[in-house]
Structures are given as structure tokens and as C-alpha cells.
Amino acid sequence: MKFTLSWLKDHLDTTASLEEIVLGLTRVGLEVEGVDNPADRLAPFRVAKILEAAPHPQADKLQVLKVDTGTGEPLQVVCGAPNARTGLYGVFAAPGTYVPGIDVTLKVAAIRGVESHGMMCSERELELSDAHTGIIDLAGEPAVGTPFAEVLGLDDPVIEVAVTPNRQDCMGVRGIARDLAALGLGTLTAGTIEAIEGGYDCPIEIRTDDPEGCPAFFGRVVRGVKNGPSPTWLQQRLTAIGLRPISALVDITNFITFDRGRPLHVYDLAKLSGAVVARRAADGESVVALNGKTYALDPEMTVIADAREVHDIAGIMGGEHSGVEAETTDILIECAYFTPHRIGRTGRALGLTSDARARFERGVDPAFLEGGLQLATRMVREFCGGDPSRELRAGQPPKIAPQVDYTPDLTQRLTGVTVDPAKQAEILAALGFMVETGDTWRITAPSWRRDVDGAADIVEEVVRISGFDAIPSTPLARAEGVAKPTATPVQLTERTLRRAAAARGLDEAVTWSFIAPQDAESFGGGVFALENPISADLAVMRPSLLPGLVAAAQRNSDRGAASIRLFELGRRYLGEGERLTLGLVLAGARQEKDWRDGAAKGFDVFDAKAEVLALLAAAGAPVERAQAFKGASEWYHPGRSAKLGLGPKTILAEFGELHPRLARAFDLQGRVAVAEIFLDAIPAPRGKRGRAVYSPPALQAVTRDFAFVADKALAADTLLRAVQKAEPKRITAVRLFDLFEGAGIEPGKRSLAIRATLQPDERSFTEEELSAIAGKIVEAARAVGGELRE
């Protein structure tokens, strides 16, 4: 929410400084996100007068100006603006000045052979508007050399505050001023709006056929308006908060949206046909909104339509067809109340945000429909003229005035802050609450505070105005002595895994626990879906960590990341409960192109397996007993994936390459290695956890290489396990170092070369012992289908 200091002072009669106001906003719970004064950026720009304008000798569209800048001798400036003329007062930028609209720092330069010492500026070059057909032409005779911002009244700081969802009243400048007045920084102005009686009956029917989505629809016609530019002060305020002035009629509705937190809409009466009705959309209907996009509607959405077509996505954005233009002479002003949850659901379904939606889905003041319509009518008459009709009121806005029973001592009991009851009553009255005192107070919240629900909310109002800093700091009781460790075994495992993953070069990611429904379907389908999600893309609780990680990988890839190694430790949400899981994704280049190794190399299934085994070992899982099984989930590549478990019923992890279909859907190039480790499946360690102690063996190990020929169907892991078990006390490691198919090997078979590490204990191996162990290895391999290669 943005507003200028002068705008705030329209509603707050105050002598407080900008610094005091900023501190006051923070005190009342409106976090100040920034303060920006346009005058600071425009400080180098000064008023200058053109003393002479002569044609450029080398260019028909350029002029050579002599400009009085108030600093001494006139300067020569080359200018291409068609309105540059002798006697014009404009805005001058000297060499060395940064011009924000063109992102250029000026310097003395020759333009078509004529030296130019600075420039005369247009509004667009100073980011005041989009006007750039000519330089700024100041009215009157301002003093030459005066700061331009001072002459135009632009020394008006812009304040931006963050408004929490429960403070719908502060989505307008008047609500913010009310809080500051309650704080004691000034007096809230009266803010009364004089009623304007119409001179004739409204010539168009207004009604609401959807009382659930639009309980109240007020409106009136104004004939004979002249829609030109809005006043300069209004354009400056809208520009200051980032809105583009369009025309007087449109600017009025934007101003009231931010001034009072009350969105309105203005229709061109000539473009309407028959009654204007708030109703549910019909299947197949669509509307072209003011942003030029077409939106498909459904019966869960409220729209404003006439007898011919839909003109407005109710409470969110008006339609393009019925918008006012420069030629508009007759208008219909709409001021309606829309149900917050309907607006929120429609906005999420359409993926459409607007200033109106931000206010209606929080809940606008239902008691300000009449006031909003009268304010809009008064401003239309003041800026555009016209003759208003009498008002039409369809339906009734809801009566929102929560009542709460309250005792003043509750403030002290809940917060430890003692506030005098008389002061509490004063604060509440200043905020618009009605207070009936007695043994138990009866407090009625104002219509603009639909967030008030109980006595604790009243305490919050009292304390935020009296000062959160008055809440005493009370340390929690602590037992004497050294605190005992409080981390659970699961928490210790999580901590260990995070460190282990980071040590292996993986970057930790934190993604949403909610994902889009289509992503959930691609990864097994979500069980739990939100009825009222904050976004359509965050509607289903994730059944897997991979959708979020793959999406994160895609975003990093789009931004030029060459090698992506991400992991996340979080929970999957399944029908049987939450499951603690570690997910990882490896995408892009595992090894970049190098003069020693040639082309870049990507990730594959074996990279995922290596990470899984290392992390399982760090978590204390018995990886030496883990076996690979076929049948990984459908989102893995069917031929490049596996499950890892202690048996078919105790699956510790799934790993492999992402199915190519999903890789394409996420717009990821090349192979993408992914895995999930199911931490809740890791068996608890037996006995107490102890710190691992490593003692190097006293004797040197011996290695022996073997090559076995086996059917392709034989998994290398099966062969390695068989060899390991041949002499488990002496064979400390077995690994595969070569795989060969081709000449000399029968079709359907392949050669598997392994290296076994043999570790002696009390004395070195004799040749006879080594031969005996080798024999056992060959026999163990033969038992699973491997024959020693000759």
C-alpha cells in the first residue's frame, strides 16, 4: 500500500515530522517497507529559460538553444523538441546529471557538429509520465535556477507499508490516518461526504441476481460528462504510487480505491444494453478484460452483465468493451459489495490480480456503499461536469458489527501491560469502536473491522496503540546446571543428513508443501487438497518431494545454471500419514567440457545411486545389506531406475532418472537424476549411538581381480554380494571396475570384472590361503550364474 505524505495529511491534521510518522506506522503494526521522495531524484534538475532558439545548421529537426540556467553565462543546448521556443521556461539537466527516463548520464557532446552542454527534459525523461513529444513547458515565470521539484510541488515523500490480511481497513489512506490519530500523531479529519440529489430517475435497471456473491449493488447515471485529463494534483498522486493516469473518470475510481479502500467501476452508458445485473456466469461465457486478455468464466464466478454480454469480472477487473473513453458523455457509476471468499476463489481460478481484488477479498466496508457512490458522483461533477440521476440500490450490504464482552483487566492478564481503563476506552473510541462500560464492557466493532472476533482482538488493539514496546521481557524459567540435550534421534538424523548432503556438494532447497494438482497427478496423485488455496498452483499437499525440486531445477536452468545439485529434507503427505523424506535432483552437467576429458558429461542413474548410498550410510542405515530391486515408481525412467531396500518389504529409497515425459514437461534438457530416501523406513540402531572409532589395520591389504561371464539378466549387485559372502571376514570390499560385451563373448552374455580387497588380520596371507580364498570366490560366483572368464 503506497501513499504520499500530503495525501495522508488530507485525512490527518498533524504537525508530526516524516520520521515521527514512519515510526508511528511501525508502532501500530503497519510495517514501513520504504520511503521515497521524488524530490531527491530530481534535485539536479533546475528551472531554465530559453533565451534564443535557432535552426541547427546540419539538421532540419534540431534547434540550437541559448539557455539561461541561472548559474552565469547562457549555455548552448541542442534540442529536438518541436515545442522548444524563445521564452519557454523548462527543465534543464547539466552535464554530469543522470537522466532516469533514458538511463543516461549526460556529458558535453557534439550533436551533428554542434556542441551541446546538457539537455532540456521531457516528462518521460524524468519519469513523470509517458509524455515525450515535447519538453516540459512550465506555466508562468518561475525563478530561473530554482529546483524543478520545488516549483512543481513534487517534494512529497511516498510511503509504502505492508498491510496484513486482517487489516482491510488500512487498504485506504483514511484507515491508516485513523490509526495514527489514535496513536496521538494528529486529529482525524471529518471526512464527511455531502449527498448529491439526482434530478431524474436512473434510466437503466440495476439489480443483483446473485445475492450470495453480490449482496448489494448501488449505482447511478451521470449524463453530459466531459472526460478529459484529471487535475494535475490527482495525476501526481497516482503517478507517485505507480499508477498511470488515464482519464478523469478512470482516475477518480483509482483515487477512491486507494483513498478510501473502496473500489468502484464506471461504465460507458452508450455501450450497455438493457438491465445491468450482478449474476453468476454461465458455462462457456468469456470476457475480454481491461488488460486485453480473454478469460473463460464458470458458474462459480460472479459477473456484471447486461442483456447482451458480460462486462465485468465482479470485484476484480472491468471489461474492455464497456470502458469509458475520451468521447464518453453518459456514464453509469457502480458501487457494489462482493463476498470476499467468492472474489478470492475467482481470482485464483483466473490467475488474475488487481487493486480491486486485493481489497474485496479482504473485505471492504459494507457501510460505505452510499458514501463511496456519493464521493464518486461529487468528483465526477467537479472534474467532468454532468447531471446525475437519483440512486438505485439493489439488495442490502451485510451488517458487520461484531460485539465482544470485555473486561479491562484482560489486557494486563494477556500481555503483562497495565493500561488505565479510561485510556483503553479512549483508544477504542479513536479506532471507531463503540464502548459500553460497566462491570463487563460491551464493545461493538466498526463496520470496517470484520477481523474482530473476540476479547483477545480488543487486547491487541489496545496494546498496539499503547505500545508493544511496553510489554515486559520475561525470561522463561530455567533449571540450574547444564541443559540436557533436547534433540530427538530423528532430529539428530536430519541434522546429520543436511551436513552430509552439503558436504557432498548438494545445495539445500526449501519448496512449498503444496503443489499444483497436475504436478501431484504426475507423481502419484495427492490425497489432501485445499478447498480455498492461496493459489491454484498451491492446492494439493505434495505426495512426493520431487515436483518441487524438479521445478526448482527448471528455474535454475532457465537462469543459466550449468550444474544443478539440489536436495530437500521434508515430508510427503500420504493417505496413511506424513512421511519424513530426503529428495534430491541432479541436472545439467556433472562434469564440464575439458581438454583432458572431452565433451561435458551429464548425470545418470548411477550418480543418483551413489548419493543415495552415501546419505543412507550417513543416516546409519545398514547399506551393506541393502539390495536393488526393480519396479521404481512410474515417474522414473522404466529402464534406468530401481528401489533400494533391506528386502522387498523394507524399501529405503527409490532412485533413477526422471521419466523423459516429465523431463520434457518441466522443460529440462538431457538426463535428470532423481531420488527419494524414506527416512522413516531406516531401522533404528540397536543400543546407544556411539561415535565411530576408526583404527587402520596393521597389515597391508591384498587385491585380486576376477572376470566372470554371465547372462545379461544377472544383476552386477547380485554377483558382488555373492563374492562378498564367500569369505566375509577377510573380503572387506568388492567393486565392479569393468563391463564388456562384444568379440569373444557369447550373444546374450557379458563380462563383469571385479576387484576384491582381502584384509589379513594377525599375519600376512600365504599363497595357499590366497588361492583358497580365490577358489571360494569363483565357486560363489558360479552359484549365481557367473563363470570365470578364460
Side-chain angles (χ1 to χ4, degrees):
M1 174 68 189
K2 290 183 178 181
F3 54 92
T4 66
L5 182 60
S6 65
W7 196 344
L8 177 68
K9 289 183 177 181
D10 283 351
H11 297 281
L12 184 68
D13 186 3
T14 182
T15 58
S17 66
L18 175 63
E19 182 179 0
E20 290 173 327
I21 287 173
V22 168
L23 290 174
L25 289 168
T26 302
R27 280 192 60 188
V28 299
L30 298 171
E31 182 181 355
V32 177
E33 297 194 319
V35 178
D36 176 45
N37 192 345
D40 296 338
R41 297 194 306 275
L42 298 175
F45 300 92
R46 304 278 168 161
V47 174
K49 180 181 180 180
I50 299 176
L51 302 177
E52 181 183 320
H56 192 291
Q58 303 295 332
D60 294 339
K61 294 184 178 181
L62 298 178
Q63 296 186 75
V64 181
L65 311 179
K66 283 190 188 298
V67 179
D68 179 7
T69 64
T71 57
E73 290 295 320
L75 297 178
Q76 179 173 279
V77 175
V78 176
C79 180
N83 66 331
R85 67 184 186 280
T86 301
L88 180 144
Y89 287 85
V91 181
F92 173 73
T97 300
Y98 174 73
V99 183
I102 56 176
D103 192 25
V104 166
T105 299
L106 299 178
K107 59 183 180 180
V108 177
I111 302 177
R112 300 292 292 270
V114 177
E115 204 168 64
S116 181
H117 297 259
M119 71 179 294
M120 300 296 288
C121 302
S122 69
E123 290 190 3
R124 187 172 74 172
E125 287 158 350
L126 300 186
E127 295 186 332
L128 299 176
S129 74
D130 291 333
H132 64 284
T133 55
I135 58 177
I136 296 172
D137 187 352
L138 296 174
E141 297 183 359
V144 173
T146 304
F148 165 62
E150 180 182 319
V151 172
L152 211 60
L154 296 177
D155 190 5
D156 191 8
V158 179
I159 304 168
E160 182 176 6
V161 297
V163 181
T164 53
N166 65 312
R167 293 306 308 278
Q168 65 277 352
D169 58 309
C170 289
M171 292 299 286
V173 179
R174 186 164 182 81
I176 294 171
R178 183 185 296 110
D179 270 13
L180 293 176
L183 189 63
L185 288 184
T187 305
L188 188 68
T189 59
T192 54
I193 302 170
E194 296 182 5
I196 297 176
E197 298 295 333
Y200 56 94
D201 289 336
C202 186
I204 189 169
E205 181 187 358
I206 295 172
R207 70 173 191 270
T208 175
D209 292 348
D210 180 18
E212 181 185 348
C214 177
F217 185 3
F218 291 8
R220 77 190 318 171
V221 165
V222 183
R223 289 174 172 162
V225 300
K226 185 176 181 181
N227 187 24
S230 57
T232 301
W233 68 266
L234 178 52
Q235 293 190 43
Q236 288 177 349
R237 285 191 176 174
L238 295 180
T239 302
I241 64 173
L243 296 181
R244 181 172 61 90
I246 298 173
S247 67
L249 292 174
V250 176
D251 293 352
I252 287 169
T253 62
N254 286 334
F255 173 78
I256 296 174
T257 295
F258 283 84
D259 186 67
R260 301 297 183 110
R262 158 40 71 183
L264 305 102
H265 192 64
V266 177
Y267 300 90
D268 188 331
L269 190 64
K271 298 177 182 179
L272 300 177
S273 176
V276 178
V277 184
R279 62 168 174 82
R280 296 282 188 100
D283 275 326
E285 280 190 314
S286 63
V287 63
V288 180
L290 286 171
N291 61 6
K293 297 181 180 180
T294 301
Y295 293 93
L297 308 172
D298 65 52
E300 293 300 313
M301 301 175 183
T302 302
V303 298
I304 307 296
D306 62 8
R308 185 175 58 242
E309 60 185 335
V310 173
H311 288 290
D312 191 346
I313 306 171
I316 299 178
M317 189 171 288
E320 188 177 65
H321 299 312
S322 58
V324 294
E325 299 174 335
E327 299 78 19
T328 298
T329 57
D330 299 336
I331 61 170
L332 170 66
I333 305 174
E334 167 221 304
C335 186
Y337 181 89
F338 301 106
T339 306
H341 72 267
R342 177 72 62 80
I343 298 300
R345 189 163 58 232
T346 299
R348 288 189 296 272
L350 298 178
L352 182 58
T353 60
S354 67
D355 293 322
R357 175 190 166 185
R359 286 155 178 80
F360 277 121
E361 72 179 344
R362 280 175 164 86
V364 300
D365 182 2
F368 193 65
L369 268 72
E370 178 74 25
L373 185 58
Q374 293 289 358
L375 178 58
T377 304
R378 181 176 65 78
M379 295 183 71
V380 168
R381 288 188 65 187
E382 181 180 347
F383 303 154
C384 307
D387 183 19
S389 73
R390 284 181 277 275
E391 300 174 35
L392 276 184
R393 303 177 184 85
Q396 288 292 331
K399 295 186 183 298
I400 298 176
Q403 291 189 327
V404 177
D405 290 332
Y406 174 75
T407 54
D409 64 332
L410 187 62
T411 297
Q412 199 283 329
R413 286 191 283 123
L414 291 185
T415 67
V417 177
T418 301
V419 182
D420 184 71
K423 180 63 176 177
Q424 295 192 40
E426 179 186 330
I427 290 172
L428 293 170
L431 292 172
F433 291 79
M434 292 179 58
V435 181
E436 300 175 29
T437 60
D439 292 338
T440 299
W441 292 9
R442 186 68 166 172
I443 298 176
T444 304
S447 57
W448 56 81
R449 293 301 302 272
R450 63 191 294 267
D451 59 299
V452 175
D453 185 52
D457 295 319
I458 304 300
V459 172
E460 180 183 358
E461 295 301 299
V462 170
V463 175
R464 73 182 181 88
I465 300 299
S466 63
F468 285 123
D469 53 353
I471 298 176
S473 298
T474 305
L476 297 176
R478 180 172 179 175
E480 295 182 1
V482 179
K484 294 181 179 180
T486 57
T488 66
V490 172
Q491 290 171 328
L492 291 173
T493 299
E494 290 183 35
R495 187 181 304 168
T496 300
L497 280 173
R498 283 192 170 93
R499 291 174 176 172
R504 292 186 61 81
L506 299 173
D507 296 314
E508 184 171 10
V510 179
T511 66
W512 292 100
S513 297
F514 299 94
I515 59 176
Q518 61 270 24
D519 290 344
E521 287 300 319
S522 299
F523 288 85
V527 177
F528 305 103
L530 296 179
E531 292 186 359
N532 191 25
I534 60 173
S535 168
D537 290 336
L538 299 172
V540 179
M541 299 192 79
R542 62 187 181 196
S544 167
L545 270 64
L546 295 183
L549 284 170
V550 174
Q554 181 254 330
R555 287 192 295 274
N556 280 274
S557 176
D558 288 348
R559 287 156 179 79
S563 182
I564 301 162
R565 306 162 186 252
L566 299 176
F567 81 94
E568 180 174 14
L569 209 159
R571 282 164 172 74
R572 298 175 296 139
Y573 300 93
L574 309 177
E576 62 271 20
E578 300 179 14
R579 292 290 182 262
L580 184 62
T581 305
L582 187 146
L584 63 90
V585 58
L586 308 171
R590 174 172 59 85
Q591 178 180 313
E592 294 187 2
K593 183 167 60 174
D594 185 79
W595 64 272
R596 295 167 298 177
D597 302 312
K601 297 179 176 60
F603 294 100
D604 59 23
V605 57
F606 300 108
D607 295 303
K609 181 181 180 182
E611 299 298 336
V612 166
L613 289 172
L615 293 174
L616 280 172
V623 291
E624 69 280 356
R625 295 195 287 113
Q627 305 174 53
F629 300 94
K630 294 182 179 180
S633 299
E634 60 185 11
W635 47 90
Y636 289 91
H637 189 298
R640 300 173 188 160
S641 61
K643 297 186 290 186
L644 197 68
L646 302 178
K649 295 182 179 180
T650 308
I651 301 301
L652 303 179
E654 287 187 327
F655 65 89
E657 295 175 19
L658 189 66
H659 198 290
R661 167 179 52 82
L662 289 175
R664 288 193 299 270
F666 281 91
D667 197 23
L668 284 169
Q669 304 299 319
R671 297 183 180 183
V672 181
V674 293
E676 283 189 298
I677 299 174
F678 311 130
L679 301 180
D680 58 337
I682 298 175
R686 296 179 181 178
K688 278 190 171 184
R689 288 180 179 233
R691 179 174 296 179
V693 178
Y694 175 71
S695 178
L699 300 175
Q700 183 176 346
V702 178
T703 60
R704 288 290 184 268
D705 295 345
F706 302 85
F708 297 100
V709 177
D711 292 337
K712 289 184 179 181
L714 177 65
D717 183 65
T718 302
L719 177 64
L720 296 175
R721 288 179 180 281
V723 169
Q724 180 84 51
K725 293 177 180 178
E727 188 73 41
K729 292 184 179 181
R730 294 182 171 182
I731 301 176
T732 57
V734 183
R735 71 179 185 88
L736 179 74
F737 69 85
D738 185 48
L739 186 151
F740 175 74
E741 299 176 24
I745 304 298
E746 294 181 31
K749 294 183 178 293
R750 60 184 177 180
S751 171
L752 302 171
I754 67 172
R755 172 164 293 174
T757 301
L758 315 178
Q759 179 62 54
D761 43 22
E762 296 179 353
R763 58 182 177 81
S764 298
F765 292 119
T766 63
E767 284 299 325
E768 292 76 11
E769 289 174 327
L770 291 175
S771 297
I773 295 173
K776 291 181 179 180
I777 290 175
V778 171
E779 287 300 321
R782 183 176 292 118
V784 295
E787 292 292 336
L788 188 66
R789 183 178 174 186
E790 297 180 357

